[in-house]
Amino acid sequence: NFIVGRDAMDDVESLTNKSMLAHVSLSSHEVGYRMFESVREFARERSPNESPSAYEKHLQWALVTAIRLDEQMDDARAPDAFHSLDRCYSDLIAALSHALEVKEARSLELAFSMRKFWLMRGPLSDGADLLEQAIAASNDTENALYVDAQNSLGAINMTLGNKEEALSSLEQAADGFLSLHMPTKAAASFANMGILHAMEGEFALAEPLFASSLRAYEAGGDKTGAAKVSLNFGRMLADAGHCERAMPYLLAALHHV
């Protein structure tokens, strides 16, 4: 959030009255202003060599905004956070697109901070494309953010129904989490890979992945996660008529509760 002086607000109000800025409600307790897209495009055409400092300020604003809203999406502020991101989405995408164009390393942090919005609101295909570009632009493959982004890309492709792309990202994420000694995060990646196979009746491929997920949850001391993965796979086996194979997983779920 930024505090501006009275003179600046007079200028903003003047631009609003001239239909160059639009007054928008960011949340139940926040208001803001945004430039009309036609005005933005005109400005770009008139100043194609905009100063790097302007792009840097825009990127800084986008990062602060996206990270703040990402944090709020996990608590009671979620409705306002999604509403705010709806309102400033085009501005965030503009900042991300330019960051990707100039191969700015911070593009990965910005794209990752928008993952929940893409998963909940879409557009999923745009999210997958932009997150994939941001991952490709980063060469720090042993960084937790890079691995988290791979996992999120897998989740988005999983939701899109892109099985092979999802499996590739989730496998890289699981390996990365294990190398970073983050077993419970690896467990979630293994479980999602297992779900992808199980949904197509490929239980022979799914079972070792669920087993890996279970071991990783146990290694991380996460009994709730272990119970959930055991229950989910047990139910999937039972629903497919494999009751004998399902029983050990259902009993394991009870053991971990």
Side-chain angles (χ1 to χ4, degrees), residues 92-197:
L92 293 174
I93 292 300
L96 176 57
S97 297
H98 183 264
L100 288 169
E101 184 180 332
V102 299
K103 302 188 186 308
E104 163 63 57
R106 288 170 292 175
S107 62
L108 183 59
E109 186 175 10
L110 178 54
F112 178 71
S113 295
M114 298 179 69
R115 71 201 183 284
K116 296 173 193 169
F117 183 84
W118 284 322
L119 279 165
M120 295 294 292
R121 297 284 183 87
L124 285 170
S125 55
D126 287 357
D129 180 54
L130 290 167
L131 190 53
E132 187 172 16
Q133 288 184 56
I135 290 170
S138 173
N139 39 15
D140 191 1
T141 58
E142 295 183 359
N143 182 282
L145 175 62
Y146 178 93
V147 180
D148 264 323
Q150 281 283 12
N151 189 60
S152 296
L153 179 59
I156 291 174
N157 274 316
M158 187 175 175
T159 307
L160 280 167
N162 299 333
K163 178 185 174 185
E164 296 308 318
E165 291 88 343
L167 286 172
S168 175
S169 292
L170 291 169
E171 184 175 2
Q172 291 181 65
D175 290 343
F177 285 135
L178 289 176
S179 68
L180 291 170
H181 307 290
M182 303 170 75
T184 55
K185 286 196 170 187
S189 299
F190 282 127
N192 281 334
M193 285 190 281
I195 289 170
L196 281 168
H197 285 301

Side-chain angles (χ1 to χ4, degrees), residues 11 14 18 34-35 48 79 125 129-130 145 155 157 201 218-219 233 235 252:
D11 291 339
S14 175
K18 294 174 182 176
R34 71 183 312 276
M35 189 177 292
S125 55
D129 180 54
L130 290 167
L145 175 62
N157 274 316
E218 289 172 341
F233 190 49
R235 288 176 63 182

Side-chain angles (χ1 to χ4, degrees), residues 1 7 37 53 56 69 74 83 88 94 112 117 119 124 136-137 139 143 155 161 179-180 184 199 213 236 242 255:
N1 294 328
D7 290 344
E37 193 59 33
S53 63
E56 173 61 23
L69 295 176
D74 289 329
H83 178 72
C88 62
F112 178 71
F117 183 84
L119 279 165
L124 285 170
N139 39 15
N143 182 282
S179 68
L180 291 170
T184 55
M199 286 174 64
S213 177
M236 293 181 91
H242 304 294
H255 171 74

Side-chain angles (χ1 to χ4, degrees), residues 10 31 38 42 55 65 81 105 111-112 144 155 183 194 214 231 235:
D10 287 343
V31 295
S38 56
F42 177 75
Y55 285 117
T65 301
F112 178 71
L214 184 57
L231 179 61
R235 288 176 63 182

